[in-house]
Every structure is written in structure tokens, then in C-alpha cells.
Amino acid sequence: PTFGPRRAAGGSAAGGMASFTKTSAKAGSNVGGGGWAAAKHSSGGGGGILERIKNIELEMARTQKNKATTTHLGSLKAKLCQLRRELLEPSTAGAGGKQPGFEVQKMGDARIGLVGFPSVGKSSLLTALTGVKSEAAAYEFTTLTCIPGIIYHNGVRIQLLDLPGIIVGASAGRGRGRQVISTAKSCDIILMVIDPTKDDAQKDMLTKELENIGIRLNRRPPDVSVTKTTGGGLKFNATVPLTHFDRDQCASVLTQYRMFNVDVVIREDCTVDDFIDVIDGNRKYCKCLYVYNKIDMINIEECDRLARLPMSVVVSVNAKLNLDYLVSRVWDEMQVVRVYTKKKGAFPDFSDPIVITPQRGNKQTTVENAVLLLHKSMMEEFKCAMIWGSSVKMAPAICGLKHQLNDEDVIQIQKMTQAEKVRAVTGKKTGTTVAGSNIKMDAKTLKERKDKTLRS
């Protein structure tokens, strides 16, 4: 028998446009749902991680954004985040293992990272601020490894890292980009060096590469709490009106992470990307200053426009312009708190302070963080702290671990006595044990002793 030309599965009768019906199937597979399901099938598994990431990004780009597709887009974003984390932190059981990073010893009290495209003046800026000789030339990729230097400012040693130039696609591993950006994760503040004579898209491209690897610039962590429970399913509560996020998107994202019994409390108007950041818990939130170098090559109107942008500083390493202001601006943005120590009966030691930044220790300017930075073993013997400075109304004041410290406060730590240590460990009060031992008295003996005391 003679048959007519058969229409390809997943195609339309009028032309070659893909069908998004529930009955069509992808040619050569058993996947139903036409082009939509074919895209989901291609991104679901098989191939390398980079290929799966590319497929998911392709599907997100061609999916219409409306109320009907918000749940599906949230699920894709969660899957994309998991693949990127797997790309950055591969399993040690595999043949490759984790990627080696730059071995830079952490020195000083704070750390600054220079990030930017090649040939924007990062090495010259390091030499101008620290005096460390870093190779600079007229060709790209002059710096191939991380070069550290030290800035001395207000009695604090600040380590400055000259990182190799990154390129588009660095978050996927191009040009040792993952090693460069991973080293930037250990910095208290990032200086993004930009060439004002080139395209304005430099800032957006660099920000995208940093966000792909988990660094959030000039943002604070979302005020969202996610608590796992033993049962009860999903409990979704929001204390503010939500315009970009709802319960369906939340359930879709949690399903991708295999979390079904969860209490979610949202206290700000967040997006699905913010919610994914909270679930992952490995995001780095830090300040970033946009440093426009080579301002001596542009006109004064353009220089004035760049200087008025938020979180921006204009400098010229070649002409030695505005470098002092850059250092002072970095100091202000780092929010450094210097705490001086004092021994009993002695003057405070103003030569070597305890330096607290929002990125060090438990990320709080409390007495507890100061004690932990001094030595972790002192927490076991800590009784109280005597504080002199602007953080107390009367000096000295006896404060606990949760007291907030200000810059240039003086602290004297009081340790517990041996009897107080035993009492803190055993939790026993005087008169409830036999003298000289930890043997508990029975209730009858305690009552007889109490009655005898009352009769006498």
C-alpha cells in the first residue's frame, strides 16, 4: 500500500513550528508534551554539567514570564543553582576532585580583593597602594597568579590581593576564573577595577560572573527563615505583602531540594532567587567599590558623572590622583571596629588592637566575637568584661557577651574562679552536695538540715 508523507512528531501541520500540546512527542524518544517536554528532557540529565546548565538557561530564555509559568521558572532556577554548586564544588569521590585554588596566606587584620578584566590597572594600583612590585605590561594577562600586599592604615594591617584578570565565562571555569572568584570569597571587601575608556557593560558582566559563583555585591542577606520540621508539610507565612514570590513558587523550589516538611517565614518582599540563596546557605554578602582607573584619559564631564555614581571612586594610578581618598573610602566601607585590650592594673595596649569587621568571626561587633578572635579557649573561663569607651554610659561598665562594641573601645576580661568553674560545669548549688565531693544529698537529709537550722 502507498502511504502519504508522515508528519514529524512534535511538528505542526502548517509548518515546522514545535507543538506544546500534551499529546505530541519528541522525535526519537518517548517523551510526551512536544517542545516543552523535549526541553525538560534535554535538561534533566545526560551530558556534562555545563551542557545541562546551558539547556536550562535556554529553556528559561524561551519561556514566557507570566503567572502561569512562575512556578515552572522557580523550579528551573532551583535546578540551575544546584548544578552550579555541583560545578563549583565537585564531589571528591570522582576522578577530578576539587579545583586547586591560589595558596595565599592570610595576613593582617582584613583582606581586600582586586577584581576586573585584564589590563585595567590592577597591578599598578597594588604597587601604588602597597609598594609591592607587581609585573605590569601593555599586554593582557600579565598577572597569572595572586600577588598579595599590605596597606598600613590607622594602626591596622590590610591585605590587598591582586587577582588575575577574569573573562566572560569565568564562573564556568574559563581562564582559571573559578579559582580567582573563589579567592575573592575570602575578602572583606572587593574593589572592582573598571576602565572608563571602554564599554559601560563591564560592571554588569563582572557582577554576573561573581553572582554565578555565589558572591552578592552590596546586598544584605534576605530576612527569610527556613526551618525543617518532622511533619506537617509546608507552612508558609509572610509578615509583609509579597509581589514577586508566593506559596506555589516556594513549594516548587523546596521540591527540587527534597524538602517537604518546612516552616517558612518571610519578613521582607523577596524574590525566588533570594529564597534559593537562603536555602543554599553558602552565599557571600560583601561590600564592593567600583574603582574607575585611568580618569586622566577622559574628559571632566564624564569623570564627574562616574564620581557621582553610588559606591564609585575615580582614580588615576599613572597621575597619582585620588589614591588617598580611595584608601579612606575603603576604610569607611569596611566598618572596622578596633578594640584595645587591658590587663588588670595596667594601661591599655594601643599598639595591637583586636580588629572586628562584618566578615570576621560571627560577623557581629559583640564582646563574644572579640573574645573568640582573641582566643577560643577563653570562652570557657569568661565571666564578664569591663568596658571603657563610647559604647557604655559609665566607664568602666560590667558587660556580658552580647554587648555591642564601638570603635576604639577598651576591654578587660574577667575570668571565673575555680569554684565558679565547677559550679558552671556541674550546676550544683552550695549545700546540695557532701563537702569535698560531688555526692548529692538525698531530700530527707536536706530537710533535716533545714529544720535544724530553723530550730536553732
Side-chain angles (χ1 to χ4, degrees), residues 175-193:
R176 303 182 71 184
R178 274 184 284 177
Q179 299 177 22
V180 175
I181 303 178
S182 297
T183 306
K185 273 191 171 183
S186 63
C187 299
D188 296 290
I189 188 172
I190 293 176
L191 298 185
M192 186 180 294
V193 186

Side-chain angles (χ1 to χ4, degrees), residues 73-118:
L73 287 173
S75 176
L76 289 178
K77 288 181 179 179
K79 190 183 298 184
L80 183 64
C81 183
Q82 290 176 331
L83 290 175
R84 282 177 176 165
R85 182 173 58 180
E86 186 179 349
L87 180 67
L88 299 177
E89 302 174 0
S91 175
T92 56
K98 289 192 175 182
Q99 292 282 344
F102 294 115
E103 296 180 358
V104 183
Q105 182 180 1
K106 195 164 187 178
M107 299 178 60
D109 304 307
R111 174 177 277 192
I112 304 173
L114 295 176
V115 175
F117 286 117

Side-chain angles (χ1 to χ4, degrees), residues 207-276:
T207 303
K208 181 181 178 182
E209 297 296 334
L210 293 174
E211 288 200 349
N212 287 342
I213 209 165
I215 300 178
R216 303 291 182 259
L217 302 180
N218 298 326
R219 290 165 54 184
R220 58 181 181 82
D223 193 1
V224 178
S225 64
V226 179
T227 307
K228 289 185 178 181
T229 58
T230 57
L234 172 62
K235 296 181 181 178
F236 183 85
N237 296 298
T239 60
V240 295
L242 301 179
T243 58
H244 309 288
F245 193 61
D246 55 19
R247 181 188 177 90
D248 295 335
Q249 289 178 294
C250 177
S252 176
V253 171
L254 292 175
T255 302
Q256 290 294 329
Y257 285 89
R258 301 294 188 269
M259 300 170 64
F260 305 102
N261 300 313
V262 185
D263 283 349
V264 178
V265 180
I266 301 178
R267 302 180 183 88
E268 68 177 25
D269 189 11
C270 67
T271 62
V272 64
D273 297 320
D274 297 333
F275 185 69
I276 293 174

Side-chain angles (χ1 to χ4, degrees), residues 136-449:
Y139 53 88
E140 295 184 349
F141 298 104
T142 309
T143 305
L144 299 178
T145 185
C146 183
I147 300 177
I150 296 293
I151 300 174
Y152 295 92
H153 187 71
N154 291 338
V156 176
R157 298 169 301 169
I158 305 174
Q159 187 180 35
L160 184 63
L161 300 181
D162 178 18
L163 299 172
I166 64 177
I167 58 177
V168 177
S171 58
R174 294 184 60 191
R176 303 182 71 184
R178 274 184 284 177
Q179 299 177 22
V180 175
I181 303 178
S182 297
T183 306
K185 273 191 171 183
S186 63
C187 299
D188 296 290
I189 188 172
I190 293 176
L191 298 185
M192 186 180 294
V193 186
I194 303 173
D195 189 351
T197 62
K198 296 182 180 179
D199 190 9
D200 292 339
Q202 298 175 83
K203 183 193 297 186
D204 297 334
M205 289 188 290
L206 288 170
T207 303
K208 181 181 178 182
E209 297 296 334
L210 293 174
E211 288 200 349
N212 287 342
I213 209 165
I215 300 178
R216 303 291 182 259
L217 302 180
N218 298 326
R219 290 165 54 184
R220 58 181 181 82
D223 193 1
V224 178
S225 64
V226 179
T227 307
K228 289 185 178 181
T229 58
T230 57
L234 172 62
K235 296 181 181 178
F236 183 85
N237 296 298
T239 60
V240 295
L242 301 179
T243 58
H244 309 288
F245 193 61
D246 55 19
R247 181 188 177 90
D248 295 335
Q249 289 178 294
C250 177
S252 176
V253 171
L254 292 175
T255 302
Q256 290 294 329
Y257 285 89
R258 301 294 188 269
M259 300 170 64
F260 305 102
N261 300 313
V262 185
D263 283 349
V264 178
V265 180
I266 301 178
R267 302 180 183 88
E268 68 177 25
D269 189 11
C270 67
T271 62
V272 64
D273 297 320
D274 297 333
F275 185 69
I276 293 174
D277 291 346
V278 173
I279 296 179
D280 268 356
N282 60 349
R283 300 296 186 258
K284 171 78 172 181
Y285 296 87
C286 67
K287 293 285 188 69
C288 177
L289 276 179
Y290 304 104
V291 181
Y292 290 90
N293 192 17
K294 306 179 184 179
I295 61 170
D296 53 331
M297 301 176 65
I298 59 177
N299 54 46
I300 190 64
E301 291 79 9
E302 181 67 12
C303 179
D304 184 68
R305 184 187 69 84
L306 295 176
R308 296 179 184 275
L309 295 177
M311 301 298 292
S312 298
V313 179
V314 292
V315 298
S316 175
V317 177
N318 188 27
K320 302 291 189 295
L321 297 177
N322 217 25
L323 296 178
D324 293 337
Y325 174 72
L326 174 62
V327 175
S328 62
R329 179 69 183 274
V330 169
W331 175 267
D332 294 337
E333 296 296 340
M334 287 177 61
Q335 301 176 357
V336 176
V337 174
R338 294 163 293 174
V339 180
Y340 302 102
T341 57
K342 177 186 177 301
K343 293 183 179 180
K344 186 176 181 180
F347 287 101
D349 182 14
F350 293 108
S351 60
D352 190 14
I354 303 173
V355 179
I356 306 175
T357 66
Q359 305 292 338
R360 299 191 69 198
N362 60 11
K363 302 180 180 181
Q364 296 179 355
T365 58
T366 58
V367 173
E368 180 181 7
N369 196 12
V371 174
L372 289 174
L373 292 175
L374 193 61
H375 204 284
K376 293 182 179 180
S377 63
M378 296 190 67
M379 286 296 298
E380 302 174 359
E381 304 176 350
F382 178 84
K383 179 181 178 181
C384 63
M386 299 181 66
I387 306 296
W388 290 262
S390 59
S391 65
V392 294
K393 295 182 179 180
M394 297 180 60
I398 299 177
C399 304
L401 292 174
K402 302 303 180 183
H403 175 73
Q404 295 287 335
L405 297 170
N406 291 345
D407 190 25
E408 295 188 325
D409 278 358
V410 177
I411 183 172
Q412 177 180 320
I413 300 174
Q414 303 287 340
K415 295 183 178 180
M416 293 188 295
T417 62
Q418 186 63 31
E420 290 172 337
K421 291 181 186 178
V422 174
R423 189 181 305 169
V425 172
T426 59
K428 298 180 177 64
K429 298 180 181 179
T430 306
T432 60
T433 58
V434 178
S437 67
N438 288 331
I439 303 175
K440 288 186 178 181
M441 291 185 179
D442 57 348
K444 184 177 180 181
T445 306
L446 290 174
K447 185 177 180 181
E448 291 177 356
R449 176 178 291 185

